[in-house]
Amino acid sequence: MKRYTKLAAAVLAAAGVGAGATALAAEQMGITKNEIVIGTIQDLSGPLAGFGKALRFGMQMRVDEVNEQGGINGRKIKFVAEDSGYDPKKGLLAAQKMVQQDKLFAMVGTIGTAVNLATFPTLFDKGVMNLFPLTAAREMYEPLHKLKFSFAAPYYNQMRKGIPWMVKERGAKKFCVIYQDDDFGTEVLKGAEDGLKDINMSFAEKTSFKRGATDFSAQVSKMKAAGCDTVVLGTIIRETIGTIGTARKMGWNPNFVGSSAAYTDLIHKLGGKAMDGLYAFHQVAVPYADDSSKNVRDWFASYKAKFKEDPGLFSAYGYVAMDMFMQTAKKTGPKLTTDNFIKTLESTTFSRDMFGSPEYKFGPKQHLGNDKSKVGQIQNSRWVAVTDYLTQ
């Protein structure tokens, strides 16, 4: 795709970075006799800082566990985390620093579509892999590139498979959509439109909002007037809570269904009881202290003891992403190089884990590890899975 190259070029120019400023020996691998250098770029000070902090902690927890056990094939992990503030310009500068100074072997679990896209040229020009980013944008694995691998079911796929499920299993008959007027919202819209088209349906009403909006009364009134019984949400946290809360105050109670961007424990923690009933698609489950799995309960307690706070969904995402890196590096063996790591990753199947993650599988022509999602619903102020992974 041309979009990420254009974005990266604009970011480079805005940051005053010339093509020659990123020069680094191509053979630099971030590997020494005793160490493997892994990096991540998170939002630690911006609008997604709650997510970024949890991601970093989840990754750090897995790194510490492995290092305490002696590392990977005799090498300890050096884990470097930098802050982007959810700004692609800052993300680019962080990537520059990590490649040049930290001598990175791989970037793992970076959050945000724009931040990831901005870093691609810097990473790929120097042979650094971008693994398992925390965004469900299709650009994370399309077009096929040797150095980029994604594990997040795309927003488009979530909606295209999920919307027909809402019709078949929840009796939805008339759909409206409210979406953020940007690339993310458009991906949700396109997936839902094509999902409806597959079953010979279409939206009765479509409405959008600009990023940063806080008042959704006009959009909700418009959808209510259309008489929709199901609302598709191209929203994240604040907008999800605002849309549903506004509808409840108006006495309008359709089914609401969102993408994985709306699947987070922050929805019910911040939105309260009004969020009950919300559906959303997901692949890694929100961990709770009283989870039915003893492994999750033990992990929750260990995380809380280590970081002095409860883990959330993104803590689990970070742990899973880093664990997949560790498994691949260990399987690759002592002769760890980028080429050997990629060959191993392209031939490895990752089993479902304690968080209920799907089976992840990559191949030489397939750098998206999973395209399936579950349906979750908020019931009594907590997320409950109401399906396994949708196959149709």
PDB file of all heavy atoms in Angstrom, residues 312-350:
ATOM      1  N   GLY A 312      -5.201  -5.511  32.942  1.00  0.00           N
ATOM      2  CA  GLY A 312      -6.361  -5.343  32.077  1.00  0.00           C
ATOM      3  C   GLY A 312      -6.169  -6.132  30.796  1.00  0.00           C
ATOM      4  O   GLY A 312      -5.217  -6.916  30.654  1.00  0.00           O
ATOM      5  N   LEU A 313      -7.044  -5.909  29.854  1.00  0.00           N
ATOM      6  CA  LEU A 313      -6.978  -6.615  28.575  1.00  0.00           C
ATOM      7  C   LEU A 313      -5.620  -6.427  27.900  1.00  0.00           C
ATOM      8  O   LEU A 313      -5.019  -7.376  27.396  1.00  0.00           O
ATOM      9  CB  LEU A 313      -8.089  -6.124  27.652  1.00  0.00           C
ATOM     10  CG  LEU A 313      -8.034  -6.662  26.212  1.00  0.00           C
ATOM     11  CD1 LEU A 313      -8.254  -8.163  26.187  1.00  0.00           C
ATOM     12  CD2 LEU A 313      -9.056  -5.940  25.338  1.00  0.00           C
ATOM     13  N   PHE A 314      -5.110  -5.187  27.910  1.00  0.00           N
ATOM     14  CA  PHE A 314      -3.883  -4.923  27.181  1.00  0.00           C
ATOM     15  C   PHE A 314      -2.656  -5.485  27.905  1.00  0.00           C
ATOM     16  O   PHE A 314      -1.627  -5.722  27.287  1.00  0.00           O
ATOM     17  CB  PHE A 314      -3.755  -3.432  26.885  1.00  0.00           C
ATOM     18  CG  PHE A 314      -4.596  -3.017  25.712  1.00  0.00           C
ATOM     19  CD1 PHE A 314      -5.979  -2.889  25.845  1.00  0.00           C
ATOM     20  CD2 PHE A 314      -4.029  -2.796  24.483  1.00  0.00           C
ATOM     21  CE1 PHE A 314      -6.765  -2.547  24.766  1.00  0.00           C
ATOM     22  CE2 PHE A 314      -4.800  -2.449  23.383  1.00  0.00           C
ATOM     23  CZ  PHE A 314      -6.174  -2.324  23.520  1.00  0.00           C
ATOM     24  N   SER A 315      -2.783  -5.738  29.192  1.00  0.00           N
ATOM     25  CA  SER A 315      -1.735  -6.472  29.901  1.00  0.00           C
ATOM     26  C   SER A 315      -1.621  -7.881  29.318  1.00  0.00           C
ATOM     27  O   SER A 315      -0.513  -8.399  29.105  1.00  0.00           O
ATOM     28  CB  SER A 315      -2.055  -6.571  31.391  1.00  0.00           C
ATOM     29  OG  SER A 315      -2.370  -5.323  31.952  1.00  0.00           O
ATOM     30  N   ALA A 316      -2.773  -8.493  29.075  1.00  0.00           N
ATOM     31  CA  ALA A 316      -2.788  -9.836  28.496  1.00  0.00           C
ATOM     32  C   ALA A 316      -2.256  -9.818  27.066  1.00  0.00           C
ATOM     33  O   ALA A 316      -1.483 -10.698  26.666  1.00  0.00           O
ATOM     34  CB  ALA A 316      -4.203 -10.414  28.538  1.00  0.00           C
ATOM     35  N   TYR A 317      -2.667  -8.813  26.288  1.00  0.00           N
ATOM     36  CA  TYR A 317      -2.163  -8.696  24.908  1.00  0.00           C
ATOM     37  C   TYR A 317      -0.635  -8.600  24.900  1.00  0.00           C
ATOM     38  O   TYR A 317       0.044  -9.253  24.105  1.00  0.00           O
ATOM     39  CB  TYR A 317      -2.732  -7.452  24.230  1.00  0.00           C
ATOM     40  CG  TYR A 317      -4.015  -7.674  23.475  1.00  0.00           C
ATOM     41  CD1 TYR A 317      -5.135  -6.882  23.707  1.00  0.00           C
ATOM     42  CD2 TYR A 317      -4.113  -8.649  22.493  1.00  0.00           C
ATOM     43  CE1 TYR A 317      -6.312  -7.056  23.005  1.00  0.00           C
ATOM     44  CE2 TYR A 317      -5.296  -8.846  21.783  1.00  0.00           C
ATOM     45  CZ  TYR A 317      -6.382  -8.050  22.036  1.00  0.00           C
ATOM     46  OH  TYR A 317      -7.540  -8.236  21.338  1.00  0.00           O
ATOM     47  N   GLY A 318      -0.076  -7.772  25.774  1.00  0.00           N
ATOM     48  CA  GLY A 318       1.368  -7.612  25.833  1.00  0.00           C
ATOM     49  C   GLY A 318       2.062  -8.912  26.205  1.00  0.00           C
ATOM     50  O   GLY A 318       3.093  -9.275  25.623  1.00  0.00           O
ATOM     51  N   TYR A 319       1.500  -9.614  27.166  1.00  0.00           N
ATOM     52  CA  TYR A 319       2.066 -10.888  27.609  1.00  0.00           C
ATOM     53  C   TYR A 319       2.044 -11.908  26.471  1.00  0.00           C
ATOM     54  O   TYR A 319       3.036 -12.613  26.232  1.00  0.00           O
ATOM     55  CB  TYR A 319       1.267 -11.398  28.803  1.00  0.00           C
ATOM     56  CG  TYR A 319       1.878 -12.577  29.520  1.00  0.00           C
ATOM     57  CD1 TYR A 319       2.763 -12.391  30.573  1.00  0.00           C
ATOM     58  CD2 TYR A 319       1.546 -13.887  29.160  1.00  0.00           C
ATOM     59  CE1 TYR A 319       3.319 -13.480  31.259  1.00  0.00           C
ATOM     60  CE2 TYR A 319       2.097 -14.970  29.815  1.00  0.00           C
ATOM     61  CZ  TYR A 319       2.981 -14.760  30.867  1.00  0.00           C
ATOM     62  OH  TYR A 319       3.525 -15.829  31.526  1.00  0.00           O
ATOM     63  N   VAL A 320       0.923 -11.985  25.755  1.00  0.00           N
ATOM     64  CA  VAL A 320       0.783 -12.939  24.642  1.00  0.00           C
ATOM     65  C   VAL A 320       1.757 -12.609  23.521  1.00  0.00           C
ATOM     66  O   VAL A 320       2.429 -13.501  22.972  1.00  0.00           O
ATOM     67  CB  VAL A 320      -0.666 -12.944  24.120  1.00  0.00           C
ATOM     68  CG1 VAL A 320      -0.766 -13.713  22.806  1.00  0.00           C
ATOM     69  CG2 VAL A 320      -1.610 -13.553  25.156  1.00  0.00           C
ATOM     70  N   ALA A 321       1.852 -11.326  23.136  1.00  0.00           N
ATOM     71  CA  ALA A 321       2.754 -10.929  22.056  1.00  0.00           C
ATOM     72  C   ALA A 321       4.199 -11.281  22.390  1.00  0.00           C
ATOM     73  O   ALA A 321       4.935 -11.837  21.561  1.00  0.00           O
ATOM     74  CB  ALA A 321       2.622  -9.433  21.775  1.00  0.00           C
ATOM     75  N   MET A 322       4.617 -10.968  23.612  1.00  0.00           N
ATOM     76  CA  MET A 322       5.997 -11.261  23.994  1.00  0.00           C
ATOM     77  C   MET A 322       6.227 -12.764  24.108  1.00  0.00           C
ATOM     78  O   MET A 322       7.305 -13.262  23.747  1.00  0.00           O
ATOM     79  CB  MET A 322       6.340 -10.567  25.312  1.00  0.00           C
ATOM     80  CG  MET A 322       7.803 -10.679  25.698  1.00  0.00           C
ATOM     81  SD  MET A 322       8.955 -10.043  24.444  1.00  0.00           S
ATOM     82  CE  MET A 322       8.768  -8.265  24.709  1.00  0.00           C
ATOM     83  N   ASP A 323       5.236 -13.506  24.586  1.00  0.00           N
ATOM     84  CA  ASP A 323       5.385 -14.955  24.682  1.00  0.00           C
ATOM     85  C   ASP A 323       5.562 -15.585  23.307  1.00  0.00           C
ATOM     86  O   ASP A 323       6.359 -16.526  23.145  1.00  0.00           O
ATOM     87  CB  ASP A 323       4.174 -15.564  25.387  1.00  0.00           C
ATOM     88  CG  ASP A 323       4.318 -17.067  25.573  1.00  0.00           C
ATOM     89  OD1 ASP A 323       5.237 -17.479  26.309  1.00  0.00           O
ATOM     90  OD2 ASP A 323       3.536 -17.826  24.976  1.00  0.00           O
ATOM     91  N   MET A 324       4.848 -15.083  22.294  1.00  0.00           N
ATOM     92  CA  MET A 324       5.006 -15.602  20.940  1.00  0.00           C
ATOM     93  C   MET A 324       6.414 -15.338  20.421  1.00  0.00           C
ATOM     94  O   MET A 324       7.016 -16.184  19.742  1.00  0.00           O
ATOM     95  CB  MET A 324       3.952 -14.990  20.017  1.00  0.00           C
ATOM     96  CG  MET A 324       2.547 -15.474  20.298  1.00  0.00           C
ATOM     97  SD  MET A 324       1.275 -14.587  19.369  1.00  0.00           S
ATOM     98  CE  MET A 324       1.668 -15.082  17.697  1.00  0.00           C
ATOM     99  N   PHE A 325       6.962 -14.166  20.741  1.00  0.00           N
ATOM    100  CA  PHE A 325       8.346 -13.897  20.355  1.00  0.00           C
ATOM    101  C   PHE A 325       9.282 -14.886  21.031  1.00  0.00           C
ATOM    102  O   PHE A 325      10.182 -15.458  20.401  1.00  0.00           O
ATOM    103  CB  PHE A 325       8.762 -12.471  20.715  1.00  0.00           C
ATOM    104  CG  PHE A 325      10.229 -12.227  20.484  1.00  0.00           C
ATOM    105  CD1 PHE A 325      10.686 -11.858  19.229  1.00  0.00           C
ATOM    106  CD2 PHE A 325      11.152 -12.420  21.499  1.00  0.00           C
ATOM    107  CE1 PHE A 325      12.048 -11.696  18.996  1.00  0.00           C
ATOM    108  CE2 PHE A 325      12.508 -12.256  21.282  1.00  0.00           C
ATOM    109  CZ  PHE A 325      12.950 -11.886  20.021  1.00  0.00           C
ATOM    110  N   MET A 326       9.095 -15.097  22.342  1.00  0.00           N
ATOM    111  CA  MET A 326       9.969 -15.985  23.102  1.00  0.00           C
ATOM    112  C   MET A 326       9.915 -17.411  22.557  1.00  0.00           C
ATOM    113  O   MET A 326      10.959 -18.071  22.403  1.00  0.00           O
ATOM    114  CB  MET A 326       9.553 -15.992  24.577  1.00  0.00           C
ATOM    115  CG  MET A 326       9.598 -14.649  25.268  1.00  0.00           C
ATOM    116  SD  MET A 326      11.255 -13.978  25.351  1.00  0.00           S
ATOM    117  CE  MET A 326      10.985 -12.588  26.468  1.00  0.00           C
ATOM    118  N   GLN A 327       8.714 -17.898  22.282  1.00  0.00           N
ATOM    119  CA  GLN A 327       8.579 -19.250  21.751  1.00  0.00           C
ATOM    120  C   GLN A 327       9.329 -19.402  20.433  1.00  0.00           C
ATOM    121  O   GLN A 327      10.015 -20.407  20.196  1.00  0.00           O
ATOM    122  CB  GLN A 327       7.107 -19.589  21.537  1.00  0.00           C
ATOM    123  CG  GLN A 327       6.293 -19.800  22.792  1.00  0.00           C
ATOM    124  CD  GLN A 327       4.917 -20.335  22.479  1.00  0.00           C
ATOM    125  OE1 GLN A 327       4.764 -21.338  21.770  1.00  0.00           O
ATOM    126  NE2 GLN A 327       3.889 -19.661  22.991  1.00  0.00           N
ATOM    127  N   THR A 328       9.193 -18.399  19.572  1.00  0.00           N
ATOM    128  CA  THR A 328       9.833 -18.470  18.257  1.00  0.00           C
ATOM    129  C   THR A 328      11.352 -18.419  18.382  1.00  0.00           C
ATOM    130  O   THR A 328      12.069 -19.186  17.727  1.00  0.00           O
ATOM    131  CB  THR A 328       9.344 -17.329  17.359  1.00  0.00           C
ATOM    132  OG1 THR A 328       7.913 -17.331  17.322  1.00  0.00           O
ATOM    133  CG2 THR A 328       9.869 -17.485  15.936  1.00  0.00           C
ATOM    134  N   ALA A 329      11.854 -17.505  19.214  1.00  0.00           N
ATOM    135  CA  ALA A 329      13.299 -17.375  19.391  1.00  0.00           C
ATOM    136  C   ALA A 329      13.892 -18.655  19.973  1.00  0.00           C
ATOM    137  O   ALA A 329      14.966 -19.109  19.541  1.00  0.00           O
ATOM    138  CB  ALA A 329      13.614 -16.184  20.288  1.00  0.00           C
ATOM    139  N   LYS A 330      13.222 -19.251  20.955  1.00  0.00           N
ATOM    140  CA  LYS A 330      13.713 -20.482  21.561  1.00  0.00           C
ATOM    141  C   LYS A 330      13.752 -21.615  20.548  1.00  0.00           C
ATOM    142  O   LYS A 330      14.737 -22.366  20.457  1.00  0.00           O
ATOM    143  CB  LYS A 330      12.834 -20.866  22.753  1.00  0.00           C
ATOM    144  CG  LYS A 330      13.311 -22.125  23.467  1.00  0.00           C
ATOM    145  CD  LYS A 330      12.444 -22.424  24.682  1.00  0.00           C
ATOM    146  CE  LYS A 330      12.946 -23.686  25.400  1.00  0.00           C
ATOM    147  NZ  LYS A 330      12.108 -23.995  26.598  1.00  0.00           N
ATOM    148  N   LYS A 331      12.688 -21.721  19.753  1.00  0.00           N
ATOM    149  CA  LYS A 331      12.611 -22.781  18.753  1.00  0.00           C
ATOM    150  C   LYS A 331      13.652 -22.593  17.656  1.00  0.00           C
ATOM    151  O   LYS A 331      14.158 -23.576  17.096  1.00  0.00           O
ATOM    152  CB  LYS A 331      11.195 -22.818  18.164  1.00  0.00           C
ATOM    153  CG  LYS A 331      10.945 -23.974  17.210  1.00  0.00           C
ATOM    154  CD  LYS A 331       9.495 -23.958  16.732  1.00  0.00           C
ATOM    155  CE  LYS A 331       9.232 -25.090  15.736  1.00  0.00           C
ATOM    156  NZ  LYS A 331       7.826 -25.068  15.242  1.00  0.00           N
ATOM    157  N   THR A 332      14.005 -21.343  17.367  1.00  0.00           N
ATOM    158  CA  THR A 332      14.994 -21.060  16.326  1.00  0.00           C
ATOM    159  C   THR A 332      16.356 -21.616  16.702  1.00  0.00           C
ATOM    160  O   THR A 332      17.125 -22.065  15.850  1.00  0.00           O
ATOM    161  CB  THR A 332      15.098 -19.543  16.078  1.00  0.00           C
ATOM    162  OG1 THR A 332      13.812 -19.053  15.668  1.00  0.00           O
ATOM    163  CG2 THR A 332      16.107 -19.228  14.985  1.00  0.00           C
ATOM    164  N   GLY A 333      16.681 -21.585  17.994  1.00  0.00           N
ATOM    165  CA  GLY A 333      17.931 -22.159  18.463  1.00  0.00           C
ATOM    166  C   GLY A 333      19.029 -21.140  18.665  1.00  0.00           C
ATOM    167  O   GLY A 333      18.824 -19.938  18.495  1.00  0.00           O
ATOM    168  N   PRO A 334      20.223 -21.591  19.037  1.00  0.00           N
ATOM    169  CA  PRO A 334      21.327 -20.678  19.342  1.00  0.00           C
ATOM    170  C   PRO A 334      21.751 -19.797  18.171  1.00  0.00           C
ATOM    171  O   PRO A 334      22.220 -18.686  18.382  1.00  0.00           O
ATOM    172  CB  PRO A 334      22.463 -21.628  19.753  1.00  0.00           C
ATOM    173  CG  PRO A 334      21.773 -22.882  20.189  1.00  0.00           C
ATOM    174  CD  PRO A 334      20.581 -23.003  19.303  1.00  0.00           C
ATOM    175  N   LYS A 335      21.620 -20.289  16.949  1.00  0.00           N
ATOM    176  CA  LYS A 335      22.010 -19.505  15.776  1.00  0.00           C
ATOM    177  C   LYS A 335      20.874 -18.564  15.388  1.00  0.00           C
ATOM    178  O   LYS A 335      20.224 -18.718  14.350  1.00  0.00           O
ATOM    179  CB  LYS A 335      22.371 -20.432  14.619  1.00  0.00           C
ATOM    180  CG  LYS A 335      23.613 -21.273  14.893  1.00  0.00           C
ATOM    181  CD  LYS A 335      23.963 -22.142  13.700  1.00  0.00           C
ATOM    182  CE  LYS A 335      25.214 -22.976  13.986  1.00  0.00           C
ATOM    183  NZ  LYS A 335      25.575 -23.851  12.845  1.00  0.00           N
ATOM    184  N   LEU A 336      20.649 -17.583  16.251  1.00  0.00           N
ATOM    185  CA  LEU A 336      19.514 -16.674  16.076  1.00  0.00           C
ATOM    186  C   LEU A 336      19.878 -15.526  15.146  1.00  0.00           C
ATOM    187  O   LEU A 336      20.722 -14.692  15.468  1.00  0.00           O
ATOM    188  CB  LEU A 336      19.076 -16.127  17.434  1.00  0.00           C
ATOM    189  CG  LEU A 336      17.849 -15.212  17.452  1.00  0.00           C
ATOM    190  CD1 LEU A 336      16.625 -15.942  16.910  1.00  0.00           C
ATOM    191  CD2 LEU A 336      17.578 -14.711  18.871  1.00  0.00           C
ATOM    192  N   THR A 337      19.241 -15.485  13.990  1.00  0.00           N
ATOM    193  CA  THR A 337      19.359 -14.382  13.041  1.00  0.00           C
ATOM    194  C   THR A 337      17.949 -14.013  12.591  1.00  0.00           C
ATOM    195  O   THR A 337      16.996 -14.767  12.817  1.00  0.00           O
ATOM    196  CB  THR A 337      20.178 -14.774  11.800  1.00  0.00           C
ATOM    197  OG1 THR A 337      19.452 -15.780  11.054  1.00  0.00           O
ATOM    198  CG2 THR A 337      21.555 -15.302  12.179  1.00  0.00           C
ATOM    199  N   THR A 338      17.826 -12.879  11.948  1.00  0.00           N
ATOM    200  CA  THR A 338      16.510 -12.472  11.443  1.00  0.00           C
ATOM    201  C   THR A 338      15.959 -13.503  10.473  1.00  0.00           C
ATOM    202  O   THR A 338      14.800 -13.910  10.566  1.00  0.00           O
ATOM    203  CB  THR A 338      16.603 -11.097  10.762  1.00  0.00           C
ATOM    204  OG1 THR A 338      17.006 -10.129  11.732  1.00  0.00           O
ATOM    205  CG2 THR A 338      15.263 -10.680  10.179  1.00  0.00           C
ATOM    206  N   ASP A 339      16.789 -13.958   9.536  1.00  0.00           N
ATOM    207  CA  ASP A 339      16.322 -14.937   8.548  1.00  0.00           C
ATOM    208  C   ASP A 339      15.884 -16.239   9.208  1.00  0.00           C
ATOM    209  O   ASP A 339      14.834 -16.807   8.860  1.00  0.00           O
ATOM    210  CB  ASP A 339      17.416 -15.218   7.521  1.00  0.00           C
ATOM    211  CG  ASP A 339      17.613 -14.075   6.536  1.00  0.00           C
ATOM    212  OD1 ASP A 339      16.715 -13.207   6.447  1.00  0.00           O
ATOM    213  OD2 ASP A 339      18.654 -14.059   5.853  1.00  0.00           O
ATOM    214  N   ASN A 340      16.675 -16.714  10.177  1.00  0.00           N
ATOM    215  CA  ASN A 340      16.314 -17.961  10.852  1.00  0.00           C
ATOM    216  C   ASN A 340      15.046 -17.804  11.682  1.00  0.00           C
ATOM    217  O   ASN A 340      14.209 -18.706  11.750  1.00  0.00           O
ATOM    218  CB  ASN A 340      17.464 -18.430  11.742  1.00  0.00           C
ATOM    219  CG  ASN A 340      18.636 -18.955  10.951  1.00  0.00           C
ATOM    220  OD1 ASN A 340      18.513 -19.247   9.768  1.00  0.00           O
ATOM    221  ND2 ASN A 340      19.785 -19.082  11.599  1.00  0.00           N
ATOM    222  N   PHE A 341      14.921 -16.648  12.342  1.00  0.00           N
ATOM    223  CA  PHE A 341      13.716 -16.379  13.137  1.00  0.00           C
ATOM    224  C   PHE A 341      12.491 -16.392  12.236  1.00  0.00           C
ATOM    225  O   PHE A 341      11.461 -16.989  12.571  1.00  0.00           O
ATOM    226  CB  PHE A 341      13.855 -15.028  13.837  1.00  0.00           C
ATOM    227  CG  PHE A 341      12.714 -14.673  14.749  1.00  0.00           C
ATOM    228  CD1 PHE A 341      12.789 -14.905  16.109  1.00  0.00           C
ATOM    229  CD2 PHE A 341      11.543 -14.103  14.249  1.00  0.00           C
ATOM    230  CE1 PHE A 341      11.734 -14.577  16.951  1.00  0.00           C
ATOM    231  CE2 PHE A 341      10.481 -13.775  15.075  1.00  0.00           C
ATOM    232  CZ  PHE A 341      10.582 -14.014  16.439  1.00  0.00           C
ATOM    233  N   ILE A 342      12.569 -15.721  11.093  1.00  0.00           N
ATOM    234  CA  ILE A 342      11.428 -15.656  10.169  1.00  0.00           C
ATOM    235  C   ILE A 342      11.058 -17.037   9.657  1.00  0.00           C
ATOM    236  O   ILE A 342       9.870 -17.396   9.586  1.00  0.00           O
ATOM    237  CB  ILE A 342      11.739 -14.695   9.003  1.00  0.00           C
ATOM    238  CG1 ILE A 342      11.778 -13.249   9.516  1.00  0.00           C
ATOM    239  CG2 ILE A 342      10.702 -14.834   7.894  1.00  0.00           C
ATOM    240  CD1 ILE A 342      12.290 -12.249   8.495  1.00  0.00           C
ATOM    241  N   LYS A 343      12.046 -17.847   9.305  1.00  0.00           N
ATOM    242  CA  LYS A 343      11.756 -19.199   8.831  1.00  0.00           C
ATOM    243  C   LYS A 343      11.026 -19.999   9.903  1.00  0.00           C
ATOM    244  O   LYS A 343      10.095 -20.758   9.613  1.00  0.00           O
ATOM    245  CB  LYS A 343      13.059 -19.902   8.446  1.00  0.00           C
ATOM    246  CG  LYS A 343      13.691 -19.386   7.158  1.00  0.00           C
ATOM    247  CD  LYS A 343      15.005 -20.083   6.866  1.00  0.00           C
ATOM    248  CE  LYS A 343      15.672 -19.512   5.620  1.00  0.00           C
ATOM    249  NZ  LYS A 343      16.995 -20.143   5.355  1.00  0.00           N
ATOM    250  N   THR A 344      11.445 -19.831  11.151  1.00  0.00           N
ATOM    251  CA  THR A 344      10.785 -20.531  12.250  1.00  0.00           C
ATOM    252  C   THR A 344       9.359 -20.031  12.434  1.00  0.00           C
ATOM    253  O   THR A 344       8.413 -20.826  12.560  1.00  0.00           O
ATOM    254  CB  THR A 344      11.565 -20.341  13.563  1.00  0.00           C
ATOM    255  OG1 THR A 344      12.891 -20.833  13.398  1.00  0.00           O
ATOM    256  CG2 THR A 344      10.894 -21.080  14.710  1.00  0.00           C
ATOM    257  N   LEU A 345       9.180 -18.709  12.442  1.00  0.00           N
ATOM    258  CA  LEU A 345       7.850 -18.138  12.645  1.00  0.00           C
ATOM    259  C   LEU A 345       6.897 -18.565  11.537  1.00  0.00           C
ATOM    260  O   LEU A 345       5.719 -18.856  11.802  1.00  0.00           O
ATOM    261  CB  LEU A 345       7.951 -16.607  12.693  1.00  0.00           C
ATOM    262  CG  LEU A 345       6.668 -15.828  12.976  1.00  0.00           C
ATOM    263  CD1 LEU A 345       6.009 -16.294  14.267  1.00  0.00           C
ATOM    264  CD2 LEU A 345       6.962 -14.327  13.044  1.00  0.00           C
ATOM    265  N   GLU A 346       7.388 -18.631  10.312  1.00  0.00           N
ATOM    266  CA  GLU A 346       6.544 -18.997   9.178  1.00  0.00           C
ATOM    267  C   GLU A 346       6.183 -20.480   9.157  1.00  0.00           C
ATOM    268  O   GLU A 346       5.377 -20.899   8.330  1.00  0.00           O
ATOM    269  CB  GLU A 346       7.237 -18.620   7.875  1.00  0.00           C
ATOM    270  CG  GLU A 346       7.301 -17.114   7.632  1.00  0.00           C
ATOM    271  CD  GLU A 346       8.045 -16.743   6.366  1.00  0.00           C
ATOM    272  OE1 GLU A 346       8.826 -17.595   5.848  1.00  0.00           O
ATOM    273  OE2 GLU A 346       7.861 -15.614   5.887  1.00  0.00           O
ATOM    274  N   SER A 347       6.727 -21.246  10.077  1.00  0.00           N
ATOM    275  CA  SER A 347       6.416 -22.681  10.125  1.00  0.00           C
ATOM    276  C   SER A 347       5.909 -23.122  11.501  1.00  0.00           C
ATOM    277  O   SER A 347       5.866 -24.309  11.793  1.00  0.00           O
ATOM    278  CB  SER A 347       7.666 -23.501   9.758  1.00  0.00           C
ATOM    279  OG  SER A 347       8.720 -23.267  10.681  1.00  0.00           O
ATOM    280  N   THR A 348       5.514 -22.144  12.312  1.00  0.00           N
ATOM    281  CA  THR A 348       5.094 -22.445  13.689  1.00  0.00           C
ATOM    282  C   THR A 348       3.603 -22.206  13.878  1.00  0.00           C
ATOM    283  O   THR A 348       3.057 -21.216  13.388  1.00  0.00           O
ATOM    284  CB  THR A 348       5.876 -21.582  14.693  1.00  0.00           C
ATOM    285  OG1 THR A 348       7.265 -21.905  14.610  1.00  0.00           O
ATOM    286  CG2 THR A 348       5.406 -21.830  16.119  1.00  0.00           C
ATOM    287  N   THR A 349       2.969 -23.109  14.592  1.00  0.00           N
ATOM    288  CA  THR A 349       1.586 -22.932  15.017  1.00  0.00           C
ATOM    289  C   THR A 349       1.584 -22.752  16.534  1.00  0.00           C
ATOM    290  O   THR A 349       2.166 -23.557  17.266  1.00  0.00           O
ATOM    291  CB  THR A 349       0.728 -24.156  14.648  1.00  0.00           C
ATOM    292  OG1 THR A 349       0.707 -24.302  13.225  1.00  0.00           O
ATOM    293  CG2 THR A 349      -0.704 -23.973  15.154  1.00  0.00           C
ATOM    294  N   PHE A 350       0.955 -21.677  17.005  1.00  0.00           N
ATOM    295  CA  PHE A 350       0.886 -21.378  18.430  1.00  0.00           C
ATOM    296  C   PHE A 350      -0.461 -21.851  18.967  1.00  0.00           C
ATOM    297  O   PHE A 350      -1.515 -21.417  18.497  1.00  0.00           O
ATOM    298  CB  PHE A 350       1.051 -19.877  18.670  1.00  0.00           C
ATOM    299  CG  PHE A 350       2.365 -19.325  18.196  1.00  0.00           C
ATOM    300  CD1 PHE A 350       2.506 -18.868  16.893  1.00  0.00           C
ATOM    301  CD2 PHE A 350       3.454 -19.262  19.043  1.00  0.00           C
ATOM    302  CE1 PHE A 350       3.714 -18.349  16.440  1.00  0.00           C
ATOM    303  CE2 PHE A 350       4.675 -18.745  18.601  1.00  0.00           C
ATOM    304  CZ  PHE A 350       4.808 -18.296  17.302  1.00  0.00           C
TER     305      PHE A 350
END
